[in-house]
Amino acid sequence: QVSLVESGGGLVQPGGSLSLSCVVSGTFDNIKTMAWYRQAPGKQRELVAAITDYGATNYGDSVKGRFTIGRNDAEKTVSLRMNTLKLDDTGVYYCNAAVQTTRWLRADSYWGQGTQVTVAS
């Protein structure tokens, strides 16, 4: 069984910064992709940022230039540094990992329970 636990959510002022972290636990060979998604009230879940096991990154257009994703494979963690936060950044942020029991084979997707980020003045 693979589990993901997020931390770091909270209340922050517009223009402020916040860092999220997610740790992946379980028995597996490789995490192909680690990512952050978010969902605001009344909106669809959207990709915030993703990073592959080769270090390639992808960011949603709304956060590009403001957020930075990183991963530490030794610690099995993925982080998200959020700068110049806006009101529209408010939502539940979910950690996602595509985990491979054996490298080069099928990757299974796992989700964390989410952490609330609220941007308000």
Side-chain angles (χ1 to χ4, degrees):
Q1 183 71 26
V2 176
S3 64
L4 284 65
V5 180
E6 304 98 334
S7 63
L11 176 65
V12 63
Q13 297 274 319
S17 298
L18 198 65
S19 293
L20 306 180
S21 183
C22 172
V23 59
V24 183
S25 62
T27 302
F28 51 86
D29 185 58
N30 181 62
I31 306 176
K32 180 179 174 64
T33 305
M34 306 179 84
W36 289 95
Y37 291 78
R38 71 185 182 188
Q39 187 167 18
K43 296 184 178 180
Q44 293 284 96
R45 185 184 65 187
E46 65 174 346
L47 174 70
V48 177
I51 182 168
T52 72
D53 51 357
Y54 291 98
T57 58
N58 186 39
Y59 294 92
D61 289 339
S62 64
V63 307
K64 192 175 300 181
R66 298 188 296 120
F67 292 9
T68 303
I69 189 171
R71 63 186 285 167
N72 186 319
D73 289 328
E75 297 181 349
K76 296 186 291 184
T77 59
V78 59
S79 64
L80 183 70
R81 177 63 178 177
M82 304 182 290
N83 294 321
T84 58
L85 283 160
K86 306 174 180 178
L87 267 57
D88 288 345
D89 292 320
T90 294
V92 179
Y93 284 68
Y94 297 92
C95 181
N96 173 264
V99 178
Q100 298 170 299
T101 303
T102 301
R103 192 182 295 267
W104 310 120
L105 298 183
R106 184 186 71 184
D108 296 316
S109 182
Y110 295 88
W111 293 89
Q113 63 184 3
T115 185
Q116 177 71 41
V117 173
T118 302
V119 184
S121 60

